[in-house]
């Protein structure tokens, strides 16, 4: 039975790397009809950030990464919050004490610092086991509890990094329990993965360096090893350092608020360092469930390319049915659209759909359909071609457009014919004439195709706006 888990610590926002780990763990479980478990690892109370547990849940839900068991979804192996499982860790710790593999650490922070200094002076890496007390006191919970390591080399297989042999020297007497009464991640996650029957441990590559200690602990506890897969880092756009907030890596919910579709985020995140071996770049969640494999995750870090994200979002927006787009657009309309009829808004969307890169583009692209736009002459003066026209020429062209359109029938086709004859009579290029009419009727930097825009705007408004542009 395949059981995977996502085990975040509620210490902040869920970044893209975290979501990718969650998504991959989810996909591995779903494609095998297994279960995906959410577990909160909250044993480092100092680092906890209020609200982040709710935020993590909301982020997963926003992308449809549904878990089968979790803090708010009871299952056979709960609770799924580490701070509610302290009795379990105590029992496992006792087993290690009983078998002579754990002992109380009697030293003060100053004493440990002195050991560190000693090692440094001798130019050796600090290893606690070299200072292991001969007669440790009985563990009463007020001292840290340490693992008693037996330095040994291990071989293990990582689904992404391949076969790895660890160095015996680095296994150390690491802390299992802190003096604050909470177990460490290093101990608790192994207990939980065993208790929760987790078959695949999928997590960030920062845990690779601790694998020697973990393998020693699995062995001491007599546990079978799960499958391991460590996720390479996600890199900034240049590919030269780990992705940070400054590189545009926002919280997943921020992307949703910024008008990115959940299906874009899923496809984009899945293809950060993974492909299916073909040229395909865009995947639906169902396709990912079928095609994903840990074996095809690249070892090298994946580059986070915002332009690719934007492009992909435009693709997913174009794929939406009119009704679906209307539903998704709900919170993105300009203020003035609130009073408009649904059928009118749907017609606006039909025109704008091809040009939307994010749903947040909606107001900029459509507000002039709902309210009179403020004139912004800069759109003319900063336009490369239009800025070459004199005031008189602009006036002449607008007057000509007004006259021609006044006599036109008002369908998209008839308007196009009128505009085409106007091109001939004025001898202008579309880049000049159509841009000018577009600007004078929308005062927006972008708008859908001109004839469609004017058709929807209506004859009266179109002519009134051109007239107003002429008179100001
Ligand atoms: N709690 C760890 C973290 O948030 C999770 C590591 C794991 O998945 O085992 O980094």
């Amino acid at each position: 039975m395949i059981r995977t888990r996502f085990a975040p610590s509620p210490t902040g926002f869920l970044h893209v790397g975290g979501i990718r780990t969650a998504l991959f763990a989810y996909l591995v479980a779903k494609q095998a009809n297994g279960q995906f478990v959410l577990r909160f690892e909250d044993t480092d109370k100092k680092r906890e950030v209020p609200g982040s547990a709710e935020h993590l849940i909301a982020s997963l839900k926003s992308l449809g990464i549904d878990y089968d068991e979790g803090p708010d979804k009871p299952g056979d192996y709960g609770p799924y919050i580490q701070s509610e499982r302290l009795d379990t860790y105590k029992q496992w710790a006792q087993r290690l004490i009983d078998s002579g593999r754990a002992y109380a650490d009697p030293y003060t922070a100053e004493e440990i610092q002195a050991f560190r200094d000693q090692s440094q002076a001798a130019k050796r890496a600090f290893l606690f086991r070299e200072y292991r007390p001969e007669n440790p006191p009985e563990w009463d919970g007020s001292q840290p509890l340490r693992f008693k390591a037996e330095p040994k080399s291990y071989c293990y297989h990582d689904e992404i990094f391949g076969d790895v042999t660890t160095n015996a020297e680095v296994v150390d007497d690491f802390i299992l329990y802190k003096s604050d009464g909470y177990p460490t991640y290093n101990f608790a996650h192994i207990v939980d993965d065993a208790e929760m029957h987790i078959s695949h441990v999928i997590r960030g590559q920062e845990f690779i360096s601790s694998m020697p200690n973990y393998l020693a602990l699995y062995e001491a506890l007599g546990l079978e090893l799960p499958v391991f897969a460590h996720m390479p880092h996600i890199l900034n756009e240049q590919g030269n350092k780990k992705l940070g907030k400054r590189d545009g890596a926002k919280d997943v919910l921020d992307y949703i608020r910024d008008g990115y579709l959940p299906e874009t985020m899923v496809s984009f995140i899945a293809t950060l360092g993974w492909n299916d071996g073909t040229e395909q770049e865009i995947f639906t969640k169902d396709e990912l469930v079928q095609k994903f494999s840990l074996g095809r995750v690249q070892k090298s870090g994946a580059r986070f390319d915002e332009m690719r994200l934007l492009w992909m979002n435009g693709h997913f927006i174009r794929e939406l049915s009119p009704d679906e787009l209307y539903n998704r657009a709900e919170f993105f309309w300009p203020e003035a659209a609130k009073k408009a009829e649904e059928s009118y808004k749907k017609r606006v969307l039909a025109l704008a759909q091809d040009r939307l890169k994010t749903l947040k583009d909606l107001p900029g692209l459509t507000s002039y359909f709902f309210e009179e736009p403020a004139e912004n002459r800069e759109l003319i003066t900063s336009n490369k071609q239009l800025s070459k026209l004199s005031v008189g020429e602009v006036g002449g062209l607008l007057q000509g457009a007004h006259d021609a359109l006044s006599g036109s029938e008002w369908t998209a086709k008839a308007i196009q014919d009128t505009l085409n004859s106007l091109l001939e009579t004025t001898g202008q290029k579309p880049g000049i004439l159509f841009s000018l009419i577009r600007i004078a009727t929308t005062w927006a930097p972008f708008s859908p195709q001109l004839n469609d825009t004017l058709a929807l705007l209506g004859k009266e408004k179109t002519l009134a706006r051109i007239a107003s542009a002429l008179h100001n």
Side-chain angles (χ1 to χ4, degrees):
M1 181 49 114
I2 303 286
R3 286 175 58 82
T4 64
R5 86 311 194 261
F6 179 51
S9 301
T11 53
F13 80 126
L14 187 51
H15 53 84
V16 176
I19 278 280
R20 186 182 59 165
T21 304
L23 177 62
F24 287 178
Y26 165 88
L27 294 173
V28 167
K30 291 299 120 184
Q31 66 187 192
N33 284 322
Q35 284 107 35
F36 173 58
V37 177
L38 175 65
R39 179 173 78 220
F40 283 149
E41 304 205 320
D42 62 340
T43 61
D44 193 348
K45 289 296 171 190
K46 290 190 296 294
R47 289 180 56 224
E48 207 162 312
V49 175
S52 51
E54 294 75 15
H55 183 88
L56 281 159
I57 288 180
S59 301
L60 294 174
K61 292 211 164 125
S62 74
L63 300 191
I65 305 178
D66 302 325
Y67 39 91
D68 302 290
E69 299 159 33
D72 57 349
K73 205 155 186 200
D76 291 345
Y77 307 102
Y80 297 92
I81 300 180
Q82 287 189 327
S83 59
E84 294 174 10
R85 304 174 55 78
L86 299 180
D87 288 347
T88 306
Y89 308 126
K90 273 269 155 63
Q91 287 164 18
W92 284 70
Q94 194 57 48
R95 275 194 226 167
L96 286 169
I97 296 171
D98 293 346
S99 61
R101 293 306 303 271
Y103 64 92
D105 167 357
Y107 299 123
T108 62
E110 292 75 27
E111 285 169 319
I112 294 185
Q113 190 52 47
F115 299 153
R116 277 184 197 282
D117 295 344
Q118 232 172 295
S119 298
Q120 205 183 3
K123 295 201 170 19
R124 280 182 296 130
F126 170 67
L127 285 167
F128 192 93
R129 60 181 156 79
E130 292 178 0
Y131 303 92
R132 193 182 285 162
E134 267 171 39
N135 293 304
E138 191 156 326
W139 186 53
D140 64 10
S142 70
Q143 323 94 327
L145 183 73
R146 285 195 183 254
F147 179 61
K148 192 172 182 179
E150 286 166 6
K152 199 174 142 177
S153 165
Y154 295 91
C155 295
Y156 72 98
H157 180 76
D158 186 290
E159 290 297 300
I160 293 157
F161 287 89
D163 291 328
V164 183
T165 305
T166 67
N167 182 348
E169 280 313 300
V170 297
V171 179
D172 198 14
D173 288 4
F174 63 91
I175 295 179
L176 302 167
Y177 248 90
K178 297 168 287 175
S179 53
D180 66 1
Y182 285 97
T184 55
Y185 162 77
N186 293 342
F187 178 48
H189 87 275
I190 290 181
V191 169
D192 286 342
D193 286 342
E195 290 259 346
M196 296 178 183
H197 297 273
I198 298 300
S199 61
H200 289 60
V201 168
I202 300 170
R203 64 182 161 203
Q205 85 174 68
E206 58 276 19
F207 293 96
I208 292 183
S209 58
S210 304
M211 280 300 285
N213 284 338
Y214 300 156
L215 293 166
L217 186 54
Y218 279 109
E219 188 177 57
L221 289 169
L223 293 173
E224 224 176 280
L225 294 185
V227 174
F228 292 105
H230 288 95
M231 294 299 136
H233 293 309
I234 298 178
L235 306 177
N236 65 3
E237 194 158 350
Q238 292 71 38
N240 55 13
K241 67 173 177 49
K242 237 175 98 176
L243 185 72
K245 257 188 164 177
R246 257 185 247 132
D247 307 298
K250 291 175 291 193
D251 181 329
V252 167
L253 291 178
D254 280 340
Y255 281 108
I256 302 291
R257 275 190 288 270
D258 280 349
Y260 288 87
L261 303 184
E263 41 275 70
T264 307
M265 297 313 294
V266 165
S267 177
F268 178 76
I269 289 169
T271 50
L272 283 171
W274 173 85
N275 62 59
D276 71 342
T278 71
E279 296 289 299
Q280 187 169 342
E281 276 200 76
I282 291 179
F283 297 87
T284 63
K285 183 133 64 81
D286 287 344
E287 279 178 302
L288 289 169
V289 169
Q290 276 169 27
K291 297 183 175 180
F292 180 75
S293 75
L294 286 169
R296 290 204 58 85
V297 176
Q298 289 158 26
K299 268 197 247 197
S300 54
R303 270 187 340 105
F304 184 91
D305 182 349
E306 286 262 10
M307 292 313 287
R308 190 167 159 264
L309 176 63
L310 201 60
W311 161 79
M312 209 179 264
N313 202 48
H315 166 88
F316 277 104
I317 289 178
R318 287 193 295 280
E319 295 280 292
L320 295 175
S321 69
D323 285 341
E324 195 53 42
L325 178 59
Y326 181 75
N327 292 338
R328 308 288 188 104
E330 187 179 351
F331 300 111
F332 293 91
W333 286 107
E335 201 47 44
K338 302 256 151 73
K339 305 178 296 283
E341 299 257 333
E342 177 174 330
S343 58
Y344 185 70
K345 288 202 270 189
K346 283 188 167 166
R347 289 175 69 196
V348 170
L349 280 179
L351 290 193
Q353 183 161 18
D354 277 2
R355 306 205 178 198
L356 288 170
K357 291 268 189 336
T358 75
L359 295 173
K360 229 185 171 176
D361 296 340
L362 203 53
L365 209 53
T366 68
S367 62
Y368 48 84
F369 283 114
F370 303 99
E371 63 184 339
E372 285 311 301
E375 287 191 10
N376 172 11
R377 296 271 158 180
E378 237 186 74
L379 289 169
I380 298 178
T381 51
S382 65
N383 180 298
K384 230 171 148 188
Q385 310 214 56
L386 298 181
S387 59
K388 290 188 195 132
L389 301 176
S390 68
V391 175
E393 282 170 316
V394 168
L397 288 175
L398 287 177
Q399 187 63 57
H402 191 276
D403 294 346
L405 289 167
S406 308
S408 177
E409 261 190 70
W410 216 253
T411 62
K413 164 92 176 61
I415 294 170
Q416 190 59 52
D417 291 343
T418 305
L419 292 171
N420 288 343
S421 0
L422 198 58
L423 275 183
E424 280 175 36
T425 51
T426 58
Q428 283 294 353
K429 291 190 278 241
I432 291 184
L433 183 68
F434 293 178
S435 297
L436 188 60
I437 300 174
R438 202 185 60 70
I439 291 172
T441 49
T442 65
W443 297 104
F446 310 101
S447 51
Q449 173 110 336
L450 183 58
N451 64 327
D452 290 330
T453 304
L454 300 186
L456 185 55
L457 211 50
K459 189 166 186 173
E460 206 181 315
K461 272 198 186 139
T462 301
L463 295 176
R465 286 184 190 176
I466 296 177
S468 149
L470 264 167
H471 295 127
N472 289 326

